Amino acid sequence: HDIWAIDDAAMDGHIARNLRIAMFAINSAQPYVMITGYPNIIAWDLNANTFMRRTLSKVDWFVSGALSIYRYELLFALRANEDWNAWKQLPSKEANSGGEWRKNLDLKLSTSKERSAFKFTIDMETSVTVAMMQTMVNECLAADDREELL
């Protein structure tokens, strides 16, 4: 039996419930983010300032150790070993919603079989937008002008 199962008569006793509460408290000590999927290549037309293919580019990620997400920021760096202070923020509607956006933990949706090691997760999917690509392209072009990418 799975102690994480909810509404399972065999696992709804005091001990199983208390174990779930204790494990949730331990998990909530420090929230974390895990990226589970991202596009390997995004085809972008510099002249037309748009995507070259009609494929939807997205980043799949989840947060664990939290009850709600009120705000998040998407960051990128020009180099893999970039100091975190040099990372740039990408525009997103959630980051600019003025606190109106929120996603809550849903225990019934966070029991993914393929990620059984991670419990209490808030699954997220963020589409790569034209505004995000324009920001990344402009930063790359500016860095290239400064010859920082060498």
Side-chain angles (χ1 to χ4, degrees):
H1 290 289
D2 181 11
I3 67 162
W4 301 110
I6 298 173
D7 296 330
D8 178 358
M11 299 310 292
D12 276 345
H14 295 294
I15 294 171
R17 181 201 62 222
N18 291 343
L19 281 172
R20 284 193 294 267
I21 292 169
M23 292 303 291
F24 181 76
I26 291 168
N27 190 52
S28 298
Q30 182 173 352
Y32 60 91
V33 174
M34 181 174 281
I35 297 173
T36 57
Y38 55 89
N40 291 329
I41 296 173
I42 300 174
W44 181 259
D45 185 338
L46 284 173
N47 295 325
N49 208 21
T50 189
F51 293 100
M52 290 175 68
R53 297 187 190 119
R54 295 276 180 207
T55 58
L56 180 63
S57 298
K58 62 182 177 134
V59 178
D60 294 313
W61 53 286
F62 69 85
V63 174
S64 187
L67 294 175
S68 295
I69 302 171
Y70 293 93
R71 182 172 184 250
Y72 67 89
E73 297 172 349
L74 295 169
L75 305 174
F76 79 100
L78 297 175
R79 289 175 289 289
N81 60 352
E82 191 79 71
D83 180 59
W84 70 270
N85 289 318
W87 286 49
K88 310 291 186 211
Q89 181 178 350
L90 293 174
S92 69
K93 63 181 180 184
E94 291 86 2
N96 299 318
S97 68
E100 298 298 320
W101 181 87
R102 178 179 179 171
K103 184 149 184 189
N104 296 320
L105 173 67
D106 184 343
L107 290 175
K108 292 183 179 177
L109 295 178
S110 66
T111 56
S112 173
K113 294 289 183 198
E114 58 270 3
R115 282 202 328 260
S116 61
F118 299 100
K119 299 296 179 179
F120 312 119
T121 62
I122 303 172
D123 296 321
M124 297 292 298
E125 178 182 284
T126 302
S127 295
V128 178
T129 65
V130 170
M132 290 177 186
M133 287 302 300
Q134 290 170 337
T135 300
M136 287 189 278
V137 167
N138 290 339
E139 286 293 330
C140 289
L141 291 174
D144 192 38
D145 288 344
R146 295 186 306 261
E147 297 183 51
E148 289 182 8
L149 294 175
L150 298 177

